Amino acid sequence: MSVRTLPLLFLNLGGEMLYILDQRLRAQSIPGEKARKVMNDIITTMFNKKFMEELFKPQELYSKKALRTVYDRLAHASIMRLNQASMDKLYDLMTMAFKYQVLLCPRPRDILLVTFNHLDAIKDFIYDSPGIMNQVDETFRRLIDTYNCLSDGEFQLIRQTLLIFFQDMHIRVSIFLKDKVQNSNGRFVLPTSGPVPWGTEVPGLIRMFNHDGDEVKRTEFTTPGNYVTPQREGSFGLYGDRVLKLGTNMYSISRPVETHMSGSSKNLASHAKENTVPNPLAKEELNFLARLLGGLEIKNPSGSDTGFRLNLFTTDEEEEHAALTRPEELSYKVINIEATQEPGRREELSCILGQLEAEEPRPESSGKGEELLALMDAL
């Protein structure tokens, strides 16, 4: 398991979350000023400097429940609210999209290009806020400094760690089903044609060498796929053409997106009932995660900022039906953490919250610290 995987997982899932929220904000005709505020608030929280410093420390991946909690807090970092069913669907879409991208990466190092595609698109969502733009650029530079020097073997370990994280997730997504890149059982269809990885040759030739390293024979063979050589390598710099299209916004063309659990996911839910007793190690993990969650502050609408509810389903009836039919074991409910029981922890969270104030001026809301601690206790 690679200890350098968490930043890539968090940033790519966060990018997919912003793609989906942007599409739903437009689909529900949310006024432009409110939509821009939501996107700016979430991006500000997501790329907070202190949060990024903690995220980039070498560490193991969080559990699925812990990571799901982070995105729940992140999605509610502004005046927008999501019901449980919509939040579940949001997380399903995020995870399946990034799983598809990891599976289709021509080479493990290209996961970094996928991340850059997400960050390039996130910069386009930022409206009239150079401070937030600088936060994203700083994360860009941190990614370049951290990952450009890694070997191919280290990237292979990162890819393997990501695939282990995603291996039991088989949610069917309508876009993937319509494009025939996903089967009815929720598993993806890998292409057998297209560009080969950069630095490799098109298959079809076997070369044999003698003990001196001299080529002595060539044999050609036919392949079932139609492979081509890529014209150039994608840019791993702060700017440039990434060439690879994985990680770009697949929701830019408006079309409804539905999710359905496959049979294997339902079987997983039935087996998960055996593990409903809270694991002490998982509880300790969430207690440790409290330090990160201090920065993911839920905003209370105040003054002129009127809150609104975003629905990821076409109608409220569909959302209610999804909430009733989804197995409880797949709703990512998390156990309580001990954020308010220790005075030292209370002071620590308050200190972290003070350090993670957004750089943009915002109206103060009453009882902010107490609200945070209460929310942390309710996780």
Side-chain angles (χ1 to χ4, degrees):
M1 298 285 284
S2 172
V3 295
R4 291 290 187 186
T5 308
L6 184 58
L8 299 179
L9 179 63
F10 175 80
L11 292 171
N12 283 289
L13 288 180
E16 289 298 323
M17 182 181 76
L18 290 167
Y19 291 165
I20 298 163
L21 293 180
D22 172 69
Q23 191 270 340
R24 292 311 300 165
L25 288 167
R26 288 185 281 108
Q28 289 188 213
S29 301
I30 302 299
E33 184 177 348
K34 284 188 176 182
R36 288 190 292 268
K37 174 177 173 54
V38 167
M39 299 298 282
N40 276 2
D41 284 350
I42 293 176
I43 295 171
T44 298
T45 305
M46 180 176 170
F47 290 93
N48 182 279
K49 184 177 180 180
K50 295 292 184 182
F51 183 72
M52 284 293 113
E53 289 175 354
E54 186 71 24
L55 188 74
F56 272 79
K57 292 178 181 178
Q59 55 194 299
E60 297 290 340
L61 283 185
Y62 295 132
S63 66
K64 293 180 176 66
K65 284 188 176 182
L67 197 64
R68 166 66 164 74
T69 301
V70 172
Y71 288 106
D72 195 299
R73 302 297 297 274
L74 191 59
H76 293 91
S78 187
I79 57 176
M80 179 190 69
R81 295 293 175 263
L82 294 173
N83 286 348
Q84 179 69 31
S86 284
M87 189 64 218
D88 286 339
K89 179 177 179 179
L90 173 62
Y91 191 69
D92 287 344
L93 290 171
M94 291 160 49
T95 52
M96 292 307 291
F98 185 43
K99 177 181 180 179
Y100 176 70
Q101 293 156 15
V102 173
L103 284 170
L104 263 67
C105 271
R107 53 181 183 167
R109 183 175 295 274
D110 289 336
I111 293 172
L112 194 54
L113 291 178
V114 174
T115 310
F116 288 164
N117 276 336
H118 279 115
L119 266 62
D120 287 338
I122 288 172
K123 291 170 71 172
D124 292 335
F125 289 139
I126 299 171
Y127 177 78
D128 195 23
S129 183
I132 305 176
M133 190 71 74
N134 288 336
Q135 287 178 248
V136 180
D137 282 340
E138 180 61 30
T139 301
F140 245 123
R141 296 185 184 95
R142 194 185 296 270
L143 280 168
I144 292 171
D145 293 343
T146 303
Y147 291 97
N148 274 6
C149 60
L150 297 186
S151 66
D152 290 337
E154 288 172 303
F155 272 107
Q156 173 61 22
L157 187 58
I158 288 173
R159 182 176 185 270
Q160 188 176 19
T161 305
L162 288 169
L163 292 176
I164 291 172
F165 180 84
F166 288 126
Q167 66 179 350
D168 293 325
M169 298 181 181
H170 305 294
I171 308 297
R172 291 175 293 171
V173 179
S174 62
I175 286 180
F176 294 140
L177 292 170
K178 291 174 183 175
D179 291 344
K180 300 187 185 304
V181 298
Q182 189 180 32
N183 291 325
S184 58
N185 62 2
R187 298 181 183 276
F188 289 112
V189 179
L190 301 183
T192 57
S193 298
V196 297
W198 175 259
T200 63
E201 299 179 3
V202 173
L205 177 65
I206 299 174
R207 290 194 292 262
M208 284 162 276
F209 300 83
N210 61 19
H211 62 278
D212 294 324
D214 300 323
E215 183 178 330
V216 295
K217 184 179 180 181
R218 287 192 174 197
T219 303
E220 295 185 354
F221 63 94
T222 57
T223 59
N226 182 23
Y227 299 101
V228 296
T229 303
Q231 295 182 348
R232 61 188 183 280
E233 185 180 25
S235 170
F236 285 88
L238 186 60
Y239 306 102
D241 183 4
R242 312 299 177 190
V243 179
L244 192 70
K245 298 305 178 185
L246 295 172
T248 55
N249 191 352
M250 67 177 179
Y251 306 98
S252 55
I253 301 175
S254 180
R255 48 180 173 171
V257 185
E258 300 298 333
T259 57
H260 307 279
M261 282 184 303
S262 66
S264 56
S265 293
K266 292 178 181 178
N267 292 335
L268 175 64
S270 63
H271 292 309
K273 292 180 180 179
E274 301 172 5
N275 297 319
T276 55
V277 178
N279 187 327
L281 291 177
K283 187 170 184 178
E284 287 305 314
E285 179 184 38
L286 287 181
N287 284 330
F288 176 76
L289 188 62
R291 293 208 300 272
L292 276 180
L293 293 181
L296 300 182
E297 175 192 358
I298 293 181
K299 302 292 184 184
N300 266 342
S302 60
S304 59
D305 295 333
T306 305
F308 64 93
R309 183 175 70 87
L310 190 71
N311 189 351
L312 265 73
F313 296 83
T314 308
T315 64
D316 290 343
E317 289 74 16
E318 288 184 18
E319 184 179 47
E320 293 171 2
H321 177 72
L324 293 173
T325 56
R326 186 180 183 90
E328 185 177 353
E329 294 78 12
L330 295 182
S331 291
Y332 304 100
K333 293 183 179 179
V334 298
I335 59 179
N336 290 334
I337 64 173
E338 301 165 357
T340 60
Q341 297 177 11
E342 302 176 22
R345 183 66 57 82
R346 180 191 295 269
E347 293 173 4
E348 181 183 7
L349 285 174
S350 298
C351 177
I352 292 173
L353 179 61
Q355 294 174 346
L356 298 188
E357 288 294 334
E359 297 176 8
E360 298 293 316
R362 301 174 185 274
E364 291 293 325
S365 58
S366 60
K368 185 180 295 184
E370 291 298 322
E371 179 196 18
L372 174 67
L373 293 173
L375 285 165
M376 294 298 297
D377 193 42
L379 289 177

